[in-house]
Amino acid sequence: MTKIANEAKALIFMTARDCEMYVRQSLASLSRQTLDDLHVLFIDDCSKDDTGIIAAALLGDLFPGRHTFIRNDVQFGKSRNAWEHLRPRTGMAEFIAVLDGDDQLIMPTILERMSRSYASGQDVVWTNFITDGGGLGGNGALDPNLSPRRQGWKTSHFFSFRASLLDNVPAGYFQDNNGHWFMAACDIALALPILDQTRRYEFIPVNAHCYTASNPYSHHNLDPQSRGLNSTSQQRSAQDAFSKPPLPLTRPAQSTAPRVAAPAFTGNRPSDVVSAAVTVGSADAWQATASEILVAGYPTLLDAQCAAGRDPFTPIQVWALRRAAFGRTDRPNILHIGAPRSALALASLISGQDAGLNCLCITPEQVGDLEARFITGGLMEGISIIETETANVSFEDVSAIFPDTRQIGEEVKFDLVVVDLQNTSYPAESALLALPALASNLAPTGFSLCLFAQDRATEALAAQRWASVSAGLKFSLDAIGGSGLMVVGGR
């Protein structure tokens, strides 16, 4: 596209409906951006409150000569607004960034950082986000070697794209399979046909955007059947959007894929993608490979490592936990007992994955310590910390303390159990009680139990003792990234 004289670097696409409580903070956050070369396209989508009045006044004060204000007399929804109001204005800017009128930017330099990415040739750039309740988004990198439609939804807030790509999107991609304009999952409907056209994209692993999940008018808050931040209407619309045929790929990656491919996602489940460029047999190379893949797919792992305490897991150990967690199901129910390092790693892996992590603690001090670490790492979403007492548990000739699992209830089943007793106050013998104490809570269809005892000899003894009394279980020493004991039941 030929650059026109008054083209800005960034066109900020803002839609708002009935969010008078939030629009001031939203526009104020945009005004703090260090990139001045921007234009705000603000659409009041037939609000019944004072959203439009507030926004129009603030736009005049904060962005004089750098905004366009539109008020719809009837509600369009974001998809139709993108078609009717945004698409005719693609010539106004180099790239478009999407910011809802009830959300905020929390990183003042993010637009300037995105601008550098577009100058270097990228076509789509996005970040991760937090919610106003302290939750962490599940965004991550996309593998440029796979269709984005096969990798799940990893490019929500804060999403931006080269403006000219919108010119190639037909109206039908903003409509459901019955020909009606999407009124839910509109961000997905906008992003997918953009991503279809290019593999020149970049995920910036920072939390640059605050999503106001508490807005009472949001889809997920109006639907009692919502799953997390997704209402049933959003789920249906998302299925329609993903089912559309991809637009032609016209802008392949500019250069050879990097040494390590980013993790691919199908739905919520990561696939096991490793670059063939890694030298097999080199431990350092495998650690580097795992590190790059994991950080790209799970940016909160860095926050987790900072709060993990002594002897944090290596990337290969985290990779092994990831496989154990998602090897059987996209939505594992996980139980954790013991050292914070493994709890923090698991919390990062399930973030945004609609999985559950239950942490069993035996003292109020343990509860407070673990909760503080989760908060420090921004990882409280999907976490349940359960305080219980210790119980004297016996197995064969061994008797020692172990958390009283009666607090859980036998009806609750776990797909993965992680018992990490390294650098804890538990006696060494407690490790031998993990499987017998938790047997009634293991998923009958199949489970994994990861044991990190205080030494390898204890892990070997546990495998020997458990194998002698258990039929159908499989035991592998050093199978968790070169450490621990892996116990597998079922398929």
Side-chain angles (χ1 to χ4, degrees), residues 203-227:
F203 169 64
I204 304 175
V206 296
N207 303 325
H209 179 278
C210 181
Y211 173 61
T212 306
S214 63
N215 186 339
Y217 298 112
S218 293
H219 287 281
H220 62 274
N221 288 326
L222 294 172
D223 181 2
Q225 303 300 316
S226 291
R227 290 173 49 194

Side-chain angles (χ1 to χ4, degrees), residues 309-324:
R310 297 174 57 190
D311 193 23
F313 277 148
T314 67
I316 287 292
Q317 287 176 309
V318 176
W319 184 271
L321 281 184
R322 184 196 68 82
R323 181 63 182 170

Side-chain angles (χ1 to χ4, degrees), residues 240-364:
D240 280 4
F242 269 99
S243 69
K244 294 184 183 297
L247 293 180
L249 172 61
T250 59
R251 296 173 65 82
Q254 291 177 295
S255 59
T256 304
R259 183 174 64 86
V260 179
F265 287 82
T266 303
N268 287 326
R269 177 177 173 178
S271 66
D272 299 332
V273 179
V274 180
S275 170
V278 177
T279 303
V280 177
S282 169
D284 290 341
W286 283 118
Q287 294 288 1
T289 300
S291 176
E292 292 183 38
I293 294 175
L294 288 166
V295 170
Y298 306 93
T300 58
L301 273 172
L302 292 177
D303 298 317
Q305 292 293 78
C306 291
R310 297 174 57 190
D311 193 23
F313 277 148
T314 67
I316 287 292
Q317 287 176 309
V318 176
W319 184 271
L321 281 184
R322 184 196 68 82
R323 181 63 182 170
F326 294 97
R328 285 187 173 84
T329 175
D330 294 339
R331 302 170 187 169
N333 193 28
I334 303 171
L335 176 67
H336 173 272
I337 295 172
R341 60 172 191 165
S342 43
L344 271 291
L346 289 166
S348 295
L349 293 173
I350 71 162
S351 179
Q353 299 296 317
D354 196 21
L357 174 59
N358 307 270
C359 299
L360 208 56
C361 298
I362 57 175
T363 66

Side-chain angles (χ1 to χ4, degrees), residues 134-192:
L136 186 70
N139 287 356
L142 290 174
D143 183 349
N145 301 304
L146 296 175
S147 166
R149 292 179 182 268
R150 294 175 53 195
Q151 300 184 61
W153 179 228
K154 305 300 294 183
T155 63
S156 63
H157 322 290
F158 182 48
F159 183 74
S160 71
F161 56 92
R162 191 171 296 277
S164 58
L165 295 175
L166 187 56
D167 297 333
N168 305 320
V169 181
Y173 282 76
F174 297 107
Q175 299 168 348
D176 63 23
N177 291 343
N178 295 316
H180 303 129
W181 296 102
F182 280 118
M183 298 301 289
C186 299
D187 291 306
I188 296 177
L190 174 60
L192 286 176

Side-chain angles (χ1 to χ4, degrees), residues 4-191:
I4 58 179
N6 62 344
E7 180 181 338
K9 283 287 184 183
L11 177 61
I12 313 303
F13 177 50
M14 299 187 69
T15 57
R17 176 177 168 81
D18 295 340
C19 55
E20 62 181 5
M21 295 185 295
Y22 313 105
V23 69
R24 290 183 179 87
Q25 295 92 328
S26 182
L27 287 170
S29 75
L30 184 58
S31 72
R32 291 190 287 270
Q33 286 294 305
T34 56
L35 181 71
D36 293 325
D37 192 7
L38 59 83
H39 189 97
V40 183
L41 172 60
F42 190 101
I43 300 159
D44 174 21
D45 199 16
C46 194
S47 295
K48 298 177 182 178
D49 62 10
D50 288 338
T51 296
I53 296 172
I54 297 168
L58 280 173
L59 287 164
D61 291 339
L62 300 175
F63 303 97
R66 296 186 296 149
H67 73 272
T68 300
F69 176 81
I70 297 172
R71 173 175 168 79
N72 294 332
D73 293 330
V74 296
Q75 183 182 0
F76 278 11
K78 186 186 285 188
S79 286
R80 187 178 174 187
N81 279 318
W83 179 259
E84 300 277 358
H85 299 312
L86 179 61
R87 193 172 185 272
R89 292 174 169 84
T90 57
M92 295 179 62
E94 180 180 10
F95 70 94
I96 294 167
V98 182
L99 175 66
D100 287 350
D102 59 345
D103 296 339
Q104 300 176 44
L105 297 180
I106 55 178
M107 184 176 175
T109 59
I110 189 58
L111 285 175
E112 188 174 359
R113 169 66 179 83
M114 286 177 161
S115 180
R116 293 197 297 270
S117 295
Y118 288 103
S120 69
Q122 303 293 353
D123 286 334
V124 184
V125 184
W126 68 98
T127 74
N128 206 4
F129 66 96
I130 62 172
T131 70
D132 58 335
L136 186 70
N139 287 356
L142 290 174
D143 183 349
N145 301 304
L146 296 175
S147 166
R149 292 179 182 268
R150 294 175 53 195
Q151 300 184 61
W153 179 228
K154 305 300 294 183
T155 63
S156 63
H157 322 290
F158 182 48
F159 183 74
S160 71
F161 56 92
R162 191 171 296 277
S164 58
L165 295 175
L166 187 56
D167 297 333
N168 305 320
V169 181
Y173 282 76
F174 297 107
Q175 299 168 348
D176 63 23
N177 291 343
N178 295 316
H180 303 129
W181 296 102
F182 280 118
M183 298 301 289
C186 299
D187 291 306
I188 296 177
L190 174 60

